[in-house]
Amino acid sequence: MTLVPLAAGNSSWRRLAWALVAVRFLTGAGEAASYPNANKIIGNWMAAGQRGIGSSLLLAGSGAGGVLAPIVFAGTIQQ
């Protein structure tokens, strides 16, 4: 869920700009713990010799999601 539509409801451009800054800050604050937590899970679940592969797959999946998401969403929006 995103808060950008709530920020877009403001009337002046200055209020809109600050609302979008606040939304972006809150999004970053909420996502800041995702990689440390994922690395902790990899460290707990995988053997010491396989943690490098687990971390590599985590980072590859993050990049692949950023590439594939617009393609998938564009296909669903067109229908």
Side-chain angles (χ1 to χ4, degrees):
M1 187 172 118
T2 181
L3 297 175
V4 174
L6 295 176
N10 290 320
S11 57
S12 74
W13 66 271
R14 286 185 182 153
R15 291 175 118 185
L16 174 63
W18 281 111
L20 290 174
V21 167
V23 167
R24 185 63 194 137
F25 175 78
L26 292 173
T27 301
E31 292 177 352
S34 63
Y35 284 111
N37 286 330
N39 285 328
K40 181 71 173 174
I41 291 170
I42 289 170
N44 287 338
W45 284 359
M46 300 189 84
Q50 297 177 339
R51 290 180 188 157
I53 293 172
S55 294
S56 298
L57 291 175
L58 171 72
L59 292 174
S62 298
V67 171
L68 295 175
I71 297 167
V72 171
F73 288 136
T76 59
I77 290 170
Q78 289 179 352
Q79 293 181 1

